[in-house]
Amino acid sequence: MHDRVHLENSYWAVTLWPQWGATIGQLIHVPSQHALIRGPLTQRDLDREPYLFGMPLLFPAGRIADGQCHYGTEHWQWPRNDTAGPNHLHGFLWNKPFDIQMKSETQCVLTPATDTLSLLTHYMHQPLAVRVEYALTQQFLKMRASFTNLGRREIPFGFGYHLNICLATGWQLSLPPGRAWIMGPDLMPVRLARPGELPHAEWLHSQWNPRDLVCDMCYTVDSPEHHVVGFEDADQHQKIWLHAFAPFGHWVLYRPHETADFISVEPYTWVHNAPHLPYPPKLTGWRLLKPGEKVETLLVWESPI
């Protein structure tokens, strides 16, 4: 497959793929031996559905209409690689090589390889410093990423992870309070749904079975400062929590059909197509990264003691 890095403690066993976007390719909850993340069996599987295995890093995250972004006199044109339309999808990091800067049994720090940085500079028009860290501390797996604008002009910033949750375990999921978006035929958000407008949106506020859901939807939380997605296996009395912190405030839920063995639960700092939505940035997550500015993100997996 790819070169691998392994981190492990009493709670988590993590396999990283530095040469494939610095992603987590496998995540095992050690006490229960549950595999949380869907992993490919072969390289062919990964090449065929690259976003749907592991935890790919998405920068810029999500779909962008026609692959274009405008601000002032600046114009960004990104690859139109979305099969659902002539749009951009999921950025430039998810399959590109990273270099290992530091590694121990419980921690790994990675930065983009030279060619990866060149690609980022080409598409974003400014140089960027990117740092990705995975660290195990007792019952916690901490996923940190930071982005610094090293250039002289502002750039759009939207980042996320494509967490592909394996449904071999009978997980029940719970989301923090929030609202779903009405999606257009191009799978882009149109507006926030009103109460009762989407039949499945109401029960997403309580514990729900992901095997009951077929969707490609955006969901915005009410309080992004700190919110939690819960996973519970009632048969084994096992709970796991995923803590997300601002600027994460949006989630994409994706399950392609009713027999799919996974659901994608994707935290984003902005919603799909944020650069083009006619709503306040507070609602869409749209933001610019100023020269010299640094953004840090944090997701934390927690296993109860």
Side-chain angles (χ1 to χ4, degrees), residues 38-189:
R38 182 189 194 224
L41 297 177
T42 67
Q43 182 66 47
R44 184 177 179 183
D45 292 336
L46 191 59
D47 291 339
R48 186 178 65 252
E49 297 182 310
Y51 307 126
L52 302 184
F53 297 101
M55 294 188 193
L57 282 67
L58 312 178
F59 178 79
R63 293 189 174 96
I64 308 296
D66 202 35
Q68 297 192 53
C69 183
H70 302 267
Y71 182 77
T73 60
E74 194 80 23
H75 171 251
W76 293 269
Q77 178 64 67
W78 300 327
R80 299 181 181 95
N81 60 338
D82 182 8
T83 56
N87 306 314
H88 176 69
L89 182 66
H90 291 339
F92 326 111
L93 291 179
W94 53 271
N95 64 343
K96 296 299 183 287
F98 277 61
D99 293 331
I100 299 171
Q101 299 301 326
M102 177 274 192
K103 180 192 174 300
S104 69
E105 292 182 353
T106 58
Q107 183 183 16
C108 187
V109 175
L110 306 104
T111 58
T114 301
D115 288 348
T116 306
L117 282 176
S118 297
L119 188 72
L120 279 174
T121 301
H122 170 73
Y123 280 120
M124 302 306 294
H125 302 176
Q126 302 297 309
L128 285 156
V130 180
R131 182 182 187 273
V132 177
E133 179 186 3
Y134 301 100
L136 301 176
T137 306
Q138 296 180 332
Q139 73 267 36
F140 302 105
L141 163 59
K142 299 179 179 180
M143 300 168 56
R144 292 185 174 93
S146 67
F147 297 78
T148 306
N149 183 354
L150 301 179
R152 297 182 177 181
R153 298 194 300 276
E154 296 172 314
I155 59 172
F157 176 82
F159 174 64
Y161 292 89
H162 208 296
L163 308 183
N164 298 294
I165 305 299
C166 175
L167 296 181
T169 300
W171 295 118
Q172 300 284 310
L173 271 62
S174 59
L175 293 174
R179 295 173 65 187
W181 290 75
I182 297 292
M183 307 293 281
D186 57 356
L187 301 178
M188 297 285 198

Side-chain angles (χ1 to χ4, degrees), residues 29 32 34-36 165-173 208-211 231-233 238-240:
H29 179 245
S32 66
H34 287 328
L36 269 81
I165 305 299
C166 175
L167 296 181
T169 300
W171 295 118
Q172 300 284 310
L173 271 62
W208 50 280
N209 186 342
R211 294 154 204 79
F231 300 79
E232 181 173 356
D233 177 11
Q238 182 67 60
K239 292 183 179 180
I240 292 171

